[in-house]
Amino acid sequence: MMSTDKIVGRNPIIEAIKAGREIDKLFIAKGAEEGSIKKLVAMAKDKKIPLQYVERPKLNQLAGGDTHQGVVAQVAAYEYSHLEAIIQAAKEGDRQPFLLILDEIMDPHNLGSIMRTADAVGVDGIIIPKRRSVGLTAVVAKTSAGAIEYVPVAKVSNIAQTIDKLKNEGIWVAGADMDGEKHHYQQDLKGPIALVIGSEGKGISRLIKEKCDYLVKVPMMGKIASLNASVAAGVLMYEVFRQRAVKE
C-alpha cells in the first residue's frame, strides 16, 4: 500500500512508533537533546530503529520545507511482507521456491531495478536487512516500474540466521562472488534456491559467504573488476529462469 515516505516532527513520529509503523531510519539533528527528543530516541532504540545524527541543513533538506523540530523519520513508501509468509507462498506455488537475498544494497535505483527483473523471472520474494540497506522508498517504487506491487519484500534483523532458516526449509543458498568455483551457467540452479547479491562496493560479507551452500561467479574480460549490483542480479536471475525453462 502506497503512503508517504517520511514523517516530520516529534509528536507525529512518536505516535507512529507507538502505532507500530514500519520506520526505516530516524534522522536527528546533532545537538538536539531536549526531553521529547530523548524520549523519541529511547523509543526508537527499544524498537531497534536505526538512528543517524545529521547537521541541521541536511535535516532541512530531508524535511522538504516542513517544520521538523529536529527529527525526520524515513518510512516505507510500501508495506513490507513477513519472511514466513514469503516462504509459505513460495512452497505452495507450482514452481520450486525462488528467493533473492540482498546483502546491504544501498542504492534505491539498484533495488528498484532488481525488483523489476525479479518480477519478470518469477521471484517469489526479496529479503533485505533492517540495517545498512535501502528500504521501500518512493525512488525504489518509481524505478521498479510497478514491480513493487507484485514482488513482496521482507526486512529481517539477521541475514545469517535467515539463511539458516531457508536451509531448514530445504532451500539452497547460492552467493554471487568472484571467488566462486563455477561460472553461474555451470552450476545447477533448477531446485529451490535463494540467490545472494552483495552490496555495490563490498560484495557479500565474509559471514554471509560462509553461510552460502556455494558461490558462483559471472565471467568478465574487461578492466573493471565487478558488475553493478542490479546487473549481476539480473544475469543470475535470468540464468535460474533459463535453466528452469530447459526441458530435461
Side-chain angles (χ1 to χ4, degrees):
M1 183 193 303
M2 185 68 174
S3 65
T4 180
D5 60 352
K6 69 180 179 183
I7 304 175
V8 178
R10 300 177 190 181
N11 286 335
I13 293 173
I14 287 173
E15 293 305 319
I17 294 174
K18 286 181 179 178
R21 180 73 185 274
E22 184 78 41
I23 296 178
D24 290 333
K25 185 181 289 187
L26 210 56
F27 295 94
I28 300 171
K30 289 183 178 179
E33 298 178 354
E34 297 91 333
S36 56
I37 287 284
K38 287 183 178 179
K39 176 184 177 181
L40 205 156
V41 167
M43 292 174 67
K45 288 181 177 178
D46 183 59
K47 298 290 186 180
K48 294 182 170 54
I49 298 170
L51 301 173
Q52 184 174 340
Y53 291 87
V54 298
E55 301 292 347
R56 289 272 176 177
K58 174 65 174 178
L59 206 62
N60 295 339
Q61 180 185 358
L62 290 169
D66 294 334
T67 303
H68 54 68
Q69 299 174 303
V71 60
V72 173
Q74 177 181 300
V75 298
Y78 282 74
E79 291 181 0
Y80 292 99
S81 298
H82 295 288
L83 175 63
E84 291 75 15
I86 290 177
I87 294 173
Q88 187 64 30
K91 295 182 75 172
E92 291 176 352
D94 56 3
R95 298 172 290 105
Q96 296 277 22
F98 184 6
L99 303 174
L100 207 57
I101 301 172
L102 305 182
D103 186 20
E104 299 187 13
I105 297 292
M106 303 297 292
D107 187 331
H109 297 94
N110 274 342
L111 178 55
S113 296
I114 288 170
M115 294 186 76
R116 190 171 182 177
T117 305
D119 175 64
V121 301
V123 166
D124 295 296
I126 295 174
I127 299 164
I128 63 175
K130 285 188 175 181
R131 294 179 179 273
R132 294 184 297 278
S133 173
V134 65
L136 297 183
T137 67
V139 174
V140 171
K142 183 176 181 181
T143 309
S144 79
I148 199 169
E149 301 283 359
Y150 305 105
V151 181
V153 177
K155 289 179 75 174
V156 298
S157 299
N158 190 300
I159 290 291
Q161 291 176 4
T162 298
I163 288 176
D164 288 338
K165 177 176 278 190
L166 295 178
K167 289 181 178 182
N168 289 336
E169 294 287 345
I171 297 172
W172 291 83
V173 180
D177 190 85
M178 292 309 294
D179 292 332
E181 292 186 7
K182 292 183 179 181
H183 289 132
H184 64 294
Y185 52 79
Q186 296 171 324
Q187 181 69 52
D188 184 353
L189 303 172
K190 294 189 290 293
I193 193 167
L195 294 176
V196 184
I197 308 296
S199 68
E200 295 87 353
K202 299 180 294 183
I204 301 173
S205 64
R206 180 189 56 80
L207 174 61
I208 302 307
K209 278 187 193 181
E210 293 172 356
K211 285 286 185 179
C212 292
D213 291 304
Y214 49 81
L215 302 175
V216 295
K217 58 185 177 181
V218 177
M220 298 176 62
M221 61 182 295
K223 302 292 191 296
I224 299 175
S226 63
L227 292 173
N228 169 276
S230 64
V231 173
V235 170
L236 289 168
M237 283 188 280
Y238 262 98
E239 180 59 21
V240 174
F241 183 77
R242 184 194 70 80
Q243 289 190 20
R244 290 181 171 192
V246 174
K247 303 298 182 183
E248 297 290 349

